[in-house]
Amino acid sequence: MASLQRRVGPNIHGYYGVFQPFLDGVKLLTKELLIPAKANFYIFLFSPLLMMTLSFSLWAIIPLSFNFSIFDSRFSLLFFFILSSLNVYNIILAGWSSNSKYAFLGSVRAIAQFLSYELIFGFALLFMLLFIGSLRIFAIIYKQYYIGFLLYPLLPFALIFFVVLLMETNRAPFDLPEAESELVAGYNVEYSSIMFAMFFLGEYCNIISMSSIWIILFWGGFAAHSYGPVFFILKILLFCFLFIFIRSLLPRYRLDQLIYVGWHVMLPVCIGILFFLTSLLALTQSAALTVIATFYRPILSWTGLSRVPLKANSVKFDDLIVDTFNEYSFSILQWMARTNYAVHAFSEGLFYDLEECGYDTQKLIFKNYLQHFVDTYRGNRTGIHSAYFGSPCNINYPGLVGLFQTASLARDVEALTILELSKLKADSEESLLLAWSPYWTYYAHLNRSPLLLNYHTQHEAYSNLSDIDCLLKNTIGPREPVSAEDTFKKFTQFAYYHEPINNVSLLHALDLQLNNRIDFPEYSRAVAWKLRYKHPLHFIYDIFWKSGLTLSRRSYIPMQINHQINQYSFIPDIWAFIESREMRPKPKEFIKDNALELYSTFPLYDNTSSEPFKTEN
Amino acid sequence: MKQLKSKIRRKHFKTFKINFGPQHPSAHGVLRLITELDGETILSVDPQIGFLHRGTEKLLEYKTFLQCIPYFDRLDYVSMMSQEHVFVSTIEAIGKIQVPLRAQFIRVIFLEITRILNHLMAITAHALDVGAITPFLWMFEEREKLMEFYERVSGARMHASYIRPGGVALDIPHSLLDDIHTFILQFLHRLDELEELLSFNRIWRFRLTDIGIMTKEQAKLYGCSGVLLRSTGAKWDLRKHTPYEVYSQLDFKVPVSRHGDCFDRYILRVEEMHQSVLIIKQCLDMLPEGPFKTDDNNITSPFRLDSVRTMEAVISHFKLYCDGFSLPPANLYVGTETPKGELGVFLVTNNTPRPYRCKIRSPGFFHLQCVDFLAQGLMLGDLVALLGSIDIVLGEIDR
């Protein structure tokens, strides 16, 4: 900022003044804490604490890599939304409790500002739901890992979101609650010493977390076109610079102008873009109007949608919008990702054994795979396509996607391709080569597919060939419904008898328990004990487990497994689906019925061994 | 029910009074505005002055004319030389003192430099109030250069007391002329940068247009002058109407606008700075050789060389600085166009070396009166913008 303003900044302490903020902090700490006589003592002290707490807890949802996130759920963005909305309360409380006129005016302004940006902020999430189909942070990052930055397709919206973030963090030109020249210091005018430092720290903390959210949403986070957390942090710094740049560049808005900008400019623009895109899609849905769609091509290219290699009359845009209710529909973006991955997989020689056997992989891509997809997108939703997608309304017929829970964009493609190839060459020996079935079962377990688990528990000694058969059976033919109870029981048994995937399965059992999907404490405790001394980081899990905090599955899973789980765990899974259909067993009954039964079956529950939970008996 | 209704009807919302100043960051010194607010809308503004009252006018009656000059520097501490110039011109008018042409040109150069100094401060402090920080810091670099010119010509960065009766204190160094020339060339670019940040900034225009609109009648009624008056469409500039010094020989224009809002006042100041640059340029070109003060040793101190050589010079030097010079009995008002508006000095002399009475008409005092009716109905944020555009300095208002 100093260099922008052609002046020398604070550069005395350390190189380029790097110690200046710390020294400022120390200075503020050593100052006397003044509390105005007429202030409401408790609220006055509480609001800076609230500010700090909220702004630091926002950090929890920000992942630094696929392996590291403190808190992750399917509603991470919603969590962000809630916490950042709560942020206005500490301004209101601080301004009101100070019992000072300027502080009061500041808090009144904060309320008005809050009302004017919050709705736009809500639209932000709506956009995310439309284009990503998930509020999970990892889903957003992973999507961008495949299709590149979302900044370009969502450019106008990204800008609006940026402005909203400026409003959210009370930064210039929207720094009305603390407008220095009007309200002296606004809501924090009565604060001094450490309390002021808390406001200050919270504000800057907010800036960094908000900018990291923006980067995750639109600029790929740590995954897209970048190399891990270092790039992520660099991007955040760049974005923080933007905040400061704008602060030094722009004057402040007046209160009513800010409200005007919020309600009359940004909100209509937001709704306009939304309606424009949806109506565009509605238009192009009808086949007669696909020609019109070609005229929209420039706009589509601007929004990044025309990157789909389409012929003019084969455009079906209805799948662009991912509806959150139907798990089996796909956006064109997703489809692009799949196709891209397939091409990538082939070109990288993932199927090198195919080539060894004399297949022309390039030919296979275009003839069998791509052509097939193009066909399905022309409207032919039968045959292999339905085998792949399953029936959207029938849970008993989930298809391959259901089987794998659309676990990875990548694995789906592989599975489908292999399935396709094995069908073509079902009677030849090469089909054995194609079937990487241990791999599949692994992923099936990772994603807790009850159908596949069911199969595996029936045939404990499985072969590659039978795996393929099973898949074909399960996906193409309608089958019996599997109860969740059954699945889980067998799942846990399976987990014990299959050594290579043992830990993963155990952890998933634990995971199920921690996510309250199925309550099964004894088992998870056993797992915890087993894991305790295997990994240096497990004491963290211990802490969480003992304190009853189950923050996230990521806090305790060993790193090497964690990586693979994280990649695929964001897809809306069948458990959620089962839950929504009320097929989930009621937890209490389940414990009663099954705990004892499993207790007897597990070799680990040996009363003679020195397990800690022995004492509980 | 009826009672309840009447209760509700009787219950009215109280208005909200805040003390805007005297410790407020954008009160431009120690101005105190008792502001009545309805929400954020201003109902009335009651300016309270006197926090910087130093009794200058009374003090002047006990000082010799020469000792009076530095007090004028300190009235409006952002346009220093213009102030002393008014006082000095009054003395010269009463004493009928001839000023050499070179001194007149030097005066005009520094009057215009002062105008630039003042307008830079006015605009950027205004911008700072509205929320733009950067122009303030950028333009302070330019102000620093101008202050350096002050220092090089008089020895003092701010309170120069450079303009003396009968000329100027010291001759202008030749190298300084070169530097002023290079300054004005690059200053136009700096002005463009300023305008890029402000004039073409949507938020800036959004904040300023149609804020604090003043009509020509109001402006005349309240005794406004300078930019405030010209923004309402009145063509009034003392440099044109009653030309003093060498302004009649110079070619410059006086910008006038019609809307009378804050943005007009801002843009007029920018344009006046452009004109000032032109004036300085012309003065540099036309600056004649010759003496920089009168030969009259009763009024100006003799040249150093003379005071060493001749007894008379030593005597007059002693007399000048001990007793001062006296002026014939007269009462005279002289007003000039200072950057803020018409600054006038009404001087009563009675054949003594001290003024009998010296009344200072400061433009800011008249401008501050207008704040009440200009601010009514505006928001609190606008009040700050309005105060900034009026460009008040409490030093001259309180005197």
Side-chain angles (χ1 to χ4, degrees), chain A residues 426 440 455 463-475:
Chain A
W440 295 3
Y455 161 74
S463 70
N464 290 345
L465 193 60
S466 62
D467 211 86
I468 290 280
D469 282 338
C470 165
L471 276 172
L472 291 175
K473 266 185 217 159
N474 279 342
T475 54

Side-chain angles (χ1 to χ4, degrees), chain A residues 20 120 158 212 382 516 615:
Chain A
Q20 185 71 32
I120 312 162
S212 55
T382 54
N516 291 323
T615 54

Side-chain angles (χ1 to χ4, degrees), chain A residues 289-302:
Chain A
L289 290 174
T290 43
V291 186
I292 296 173
T294 56
F295 290 107
Y296 281 110
R297 201 58 187 267
I299 300 160
L300 289 173
S301 72
W302 168 59

Side-chain angles (χ1 to χ4, degrees), chain A residues 1 3-7 100-102 104-105 108-109 172-173 176 180-184 247-258 260-261, chain B residues 16-20 24-26 37 39-40 128-134 137-138 141 190 193 197 201 203-204 206-207 211 379-382 384:
Chain A
M1 186 156 181
S3 56
L4 274 174
Q5 296 174 342
R6 289 191 205 142
R7 66 183 167 89
S100 151
K101 284 177 178 177
Y102 282 113
F104 176 69
L105 272 177
V108 167
R109 281 181 171 196
L176 286 173
E180 184 201 316
S181 57
E182 293 156 30
L183 301 181
V184 191
R247 184 176 154 216
S248 63
L249 194 66
L250 294 180
R252 188 181 304 114
Y253 270 106
R254 211 200 312 151
L255 181 62
D256 59 330
Q257 286 167 351
L258 183 139
Y260 176 85
V261 167
Chain B
F16 190 67
K17 259 189 188 173
I18 61 167
N19 238 338
F20 194 91
H24 197 279
S26 56
L37 293 177
E40 283 235 355
L128 190 66
D129 290 348
V130 175
I133 318 163
T134 307
L137 291 152
W138 280 14
E141 196 184 329
R190 296 290 98 78
E193 286 173 8
L197 274 182
N201 189 330
I203 301 176
W204 175 256
F206 206 18
R207 280 298 299 275
I211 299 301
M379 312 275 287
L380 189 62
D382 293 333
V384 174

